Amino acid sequence: AGNYQKVLENSQIILKKIPNNSFLLNLIGMAYQGLFQYQKSVLFFRDAIRNEKNNKAAMNNLANSLKAIGEYQESEQLYEKILKLDHEYINAYNNFANLKISFNDYEGAILLMEKAINICKEKNKNSLDLMFSLASSYLSINEINKSKDLIQKILKEKSDHVGAHKLYSTIL
């Protein structure tokens, strides 16, 4: 519940007893992320991956921390690697799309979000947040009708979606 310092204290104790535990190293990295100590989080995520080569969660978290400290190229490479390992890893699609948006690559972000939304549909998972990001991206490239259609779908599913209402008001 946001008590990252307590997580760090308890995890460090457990880590002494169970060193090289990928799950625990990833957890510590996430606690440092929560404290906005991205350089430290990078160290723990890298350790987690060293101990479990294909730890997608740790790779995704590492990519997010690298993005936060401006290591965009390595961040992008990690997202691509994750998606090669698991073409259905929704978090990587979403985070990779956000990286692309930060560089105004809306077309690239849109492709990633559309893939993620399709995967969510296949797995019967909620995709409202992705749909909202996609609607915003469409609006950014002046695809107003596509944006409007998505917002209407969001509001049909969740009529009190504040973000969708705000976005819709900018279109009208």
Side-chain angles (χ1 to χ4, degrees), residues 33-45:
Q33 259 183 350
L35 294 169
F36 306 103
Q37 295 180 25
Y38 298 109
Q39 296 286 357
K40 285 185 180 179
S41 73
V42 165
L43 299 174
F44 284 91
F45 294 136

Side-chain angles (χ1 to χ4, degrees), residues 120 124-130 157:
C120 286
N124 204 26
K125 289 186 174 183
N126 185 319
S127 63
L128 287 179
D129 291 338
L130 286 163
E157 206 168 312

Side-chain angles (χ1 to χ4, degrees), residues 45-58:
F45 294 136
R46 289 192 193 283
D47 278 348
I49 295 164
R50 252 190 298 279
N51 287 288
E52 186 183 340
K53 184 180 154 193
N54 293 328
N55 184 330
K56 297 174 293 195

Side-chain angles (χ1 to χ4, degrees), residues 2-165:
N3 195 343
Y4 302 114
Q5 207 56 50
K6 188 170 183 128
V7 170
L8 287 173
E9 291 167 11
N10 292 331
S11 296
Q12 294 290 0
I13 293 168
I14 298 169
L15 192 61
K16 288 178 183 173
K17 295 177 182 178
I18 315 170
N20 304 322
N21 182 291
S22 182
F23 175 83
L24 193 55
L25 291 164
N26 187 46
L27 182 65
I28 294 168
M30 290 188 316
Y32 279 120
Q33 259 183 350
L35 294 169
F36 306 103
Q37 295 180 25
Y38 298 109
Q39 296 286 357
K40 285 185 180 179
S41 73
V42 165
L43 299 174
F44 284 91
F45 294 136
R46 289 192 193 283
D47 278 348
I49 295 164
R50 252 190 298 279
N51 287 288
E52 186 183 340
K53 184 180 154 193
N54 293 328
N55 184 330
K56 297 174 293 195
M59 283 188 255
N60 186 59
N61 291 331
L62 175 58
N64 290 339
S65 285
L66 290 169
K67 178 172 57 172
I69 61 174
E71 297 291 332
Y72 305 117
Q73 187 173 0
E74 188 177 356
S75 179
E76 183 174 356
Q77 290 169 349
L78 274 165
Y79 292 132
E80 289 171 346
K81 181 178 180 177
I82 295 165
L83 294 174
K84 283 180 185 168
L85 288 171
D86 182 354
H87 68 278
E88 295 183 347
Y89 198 76
I90 301 298
N91 289 341
Y93 280 107
N94 187 44
N95 292 326
F96 194 7
N98 290 333
L99 176 67
K100 288 188 175 288
I101 287 169
S102 68
F103 289 104
N104 298 321
D105 179 5
Y106 294 101
E107 288 84 3
I110 286 168
L111 290 173
L112 290 165
M113 285 183 275
E114 286 175 340
K115 285 180 185 177
I117 289 168
N118 287 333
I119 292 166
C120 286
K121 284 179 186 173
E122 289 171 12
K123 295 186 170 280
N124 204 26
K125 289 186 174 183
N126 185 319
S127 63
L128 287 179
D129 291 338
L130 286 163
M131 290 170 62
F132 178 73
S133 295
L134 183 57
S136 299
S137 294
Y138 277 136
L139 192 57
S140 295
I141 61 169
N142 210 28
E143 291 280 350
I144 294 168
N145 289 333
K146 288 182 179 181
S147 182
K148 196 184 286 189
D149 289 344
L150 274 169
I151 294 167
Q152 289 170 346
K153 286 179 185 175
I154 293 167
L155 292 173
K156 185 177 181 182
E157 206 168 312
K158 188 172 187 227
S159 62
D160 64 342
H161 193 288
V162 175
H165 281 288

